Amino acid sequence: MHSRESDKIKISSNKSFGIVFFVVFLIISLWPIKSGGDLRLWALFFSIIFLILGLINSKLLTPLNKIWFKFGILLGSIVSPIVMGLVFFAVVAPTGIIMKILRKDLIGLKKTNKQTYWIEKNSKMTSMKNQF
């Protein structure tokens, strides 16, 4: 049976998951104070719960940790192709168009009378001792 990529990635420990969400909810609870607002007590409550459960490495965090992990995999499978598409259309495609306009053949593919595209190196090989 073929294993999926999400099965190969190791899930984080419940301790680190709890501490991360403690910090997240603590920031959410304290954020309104920055602009003169009131403390968000519900977020402070959740941050304390996550801190306690994280420090004792509670098994209660396992389902939440797995859901968060699967959400991360889902988000990565959506965001990665979008980012790669943007990179392709913003960098690779314009570079190719510019090379075609300038009629550049950087790797010598236009030379049809060749038996191979291998580039022979005529210079003497040097030592790798002093590379820089």
Side-chain angles (χ1 to χ4, degrees):
M1 186 172 179
H2 184 60
S3 66
R4 297 181 318 197
E5 188 170 328
S6 63
D7 295 337
K8 297 177 189 174
I9 303 170
K10 188 175 184 279
I11 194 167
S12 67
S13 71
N14 288 339
K15 183 175 187 173
S16 64
F17 174 77
I19 292 172
V20 165
F21 272 85
F22 157 71
V23 171
V24 168
F25 280 109
L26 184 65
I27 290 171
I28 291 171
S29 70
L30 297 174
W31 194 261
I33 295 174
K34 183 182 117 180
S35 58
D38 293 333
L39 181 70
R40 291 183 181 145
L41 294 177
W42 63 269
L44 185 61
F45 173 74
F46 280 119
S47 71
I48 292 170
I49 296 296
F50 273 106
L51 177 65
I52 292 168
L53 292 175
L55 289 178
I56 63 171
N57 204 6
S58 174
K59 298 285 184 208
L60 293 173
L61 292 176
T62 301
L64 294 174
N65 197 359
K66 286 182 180 179
I67 291 170
W68 185 251
F69 173 75
K70 292 195 185 286
F71 176 69
I73 295 295
L74 173 72
L75 200 60
S77 67
I78 293 170
V79 171
S80 292
I82 293 171
V83 169
M84 292 306 292
L86 288 173
V87 167
F88 178 79
F89 289 112
V91 177
V92 177
T95 302
I97 292 169
I98 291 169
M99 291 295 129
K100 285 204 181 273
I101 290 171
L102 297 176
R103 298 176 193 239
K104 295 286 183 181
D105 184 21
L106 298 178
I107 57 174
L109 293 177
K110 303 272 183 187
K111 298 175 183 173
T112 57
N113 59 351
K114 289 182 136 186
Q115 288 184 350
T116 181
Y117 292 109
W118 187 267
I119 300 171
E120 291 289 332
K121 184 176 177 185
N122 296 326
S123 63
K124 180 181 162 189
M125 290 187 47
T126 60
S127 168
M128 295 295 284
K129 188 173 185 180
N130 297 321
Q131 296 180 42
F132 305 104

